[in-house]
Amino acid sequence: MHSSKQLYTRLSELLGLHDHLQALNLIVGKIAINLKCYTNSEAVIDHTLSLFLELASGYSSGKLLMKLDTVQFIVANHTREHFPFLHESKGSRSRTTFYYTIGWLIFMEDSPVKFKASMEPLLQVFINLEATADSMFRTDNVKNALVGLMRDLRGIAMATNRTYGLLFDRLYPAHMPILLKGISHWADTPDVTTPLLKFMAEFVLNKAQRLTFDSSSPNGILLFREVSKLLVAYGSRILSFPNTTDIYAIKYKGIWIALTVLSRALPGNYVNFGVFELYGDRALADALDIALKMTLSVPLADILAYRKLTKAYYAFLEVLFNSHIVYMLNLDTNTFMHIVGSLESGLKGLDTSISTQAAFAVDNFVAYIF
């Protein structure tokens, strides 16, 4: 900060930097140059984006960043024409960090106008995908556009807090069908399904109570219906695929992310699930059915062998035994006994987070019975 007089005396002598804004501007200028020029170096891009995010995440430093012309340019021109690394498929994971940082900076000012302007390039990708005929949807251009879009949106979604409604209104209902179309056409391609499902897992996560729809709003129910349609479309296809040598990459990874989506949506406190049964809507039942089928398709030994799959499985069971135990008790005896038996395996596990989830599930079950 400007109070560090001794530091800026020396920096002024060496580099002509007289205060903290000039120093920050130099750092951000280097960040912009790296993002423009080091397209082929994934390591440089990753380190640069980590620094950019660290600067943006601090309340004071984030406010200072928004005063700089370079940052204003980045926020207003986050396209691959200005930042070629966004066009590189090998560095596409970096896009999430890039857009997380941009989203953080945009939402710091809580400006709907600035957010709307920043979303225009992403909405244009939606429009292009929506105009693509079904017969042309299995092309590399569509694949790359869809993967990039999902990674970008996940970053934006990660940055939302009380501003979540701005993102929801931009995507629903106009652009949600493209997610269903994407999962339907590319269900056999983890490179597409993984970022798509991970975006949805972030989109339905009610962290810090950011999903606060009006009491008269049906948006929570409508969001869960989109989750249900997406999971049914994915699950029904993934179950039909034959087992391969790399079964984790082809099947299990998608299954644990799908379970995570549902495990986050069910306890989000923005849906009154009784509405579905009252009005004969199959959204909840279909989502639970397909999730259960996916879990039963994986041998218990495999569930316990893959750490991320294990965590997702027991998190899902904890939610089911906590909030949807009647559904569990209506299962056939063999299925129910298999699930309860898997809880025993979870209790014996060395990972305390997993054994705790299994213990909570057993506790809820026993409390209900007695």
Side-chain angles (χ1 to χ4, degrees), residues 104-122:
W104 193 281
L105 291 168
I106 292 169
F107 295 134
M108 191 169 287
E109 294 192 349
D110 204 8
S111 171
V113 175
K114 185 166 287 188
F115 172 72
K116 184 177 180 181
S118 72
M119 283 291 288
E120 285 306 316
L122 302 185

Side-chain angles (χ1 to χ4, degrees), residues 16-38:
L17 302 175
H18 307 298
D19 59 31
H20 60 293
L21 277 177
Q22 288 183 328
L24 193 60
N25 196 50
L26 180 72
I27 296 170
V28 171
K30 176 58 176 167
I31 287 172
I33 289 172
N34 282 3
L35 296 180
K36 286 183 178 182
C37 301
Y38 285 88

Side-chain angles (χ1 to χ4, degrees), residues 182-226:
I183 209 85
S184 300
H185 281 75
W186 292 94
D188 62 341
T189 309
D191 286 348
V192 176
T193 58
T194 294
L196 198 157
L197 289 170
K198 283 190 173 182
F199 160 67
M200 185 55 79
E202 180 61 39
F203 195 53
V204 301
L205 178 61
N206 193 15
K207 60 183 180 183
Q209 297 301 305
R210 63 180 180 175
L211 276 74
T212 51
F213 302 117
D214 293 337
S215 58
S216 60
S217 170
N219 285 345
I221 294 169
L222 296 173
L223 175 58
F224 187 82
R225 290 179 70 182
E226 294 298 326

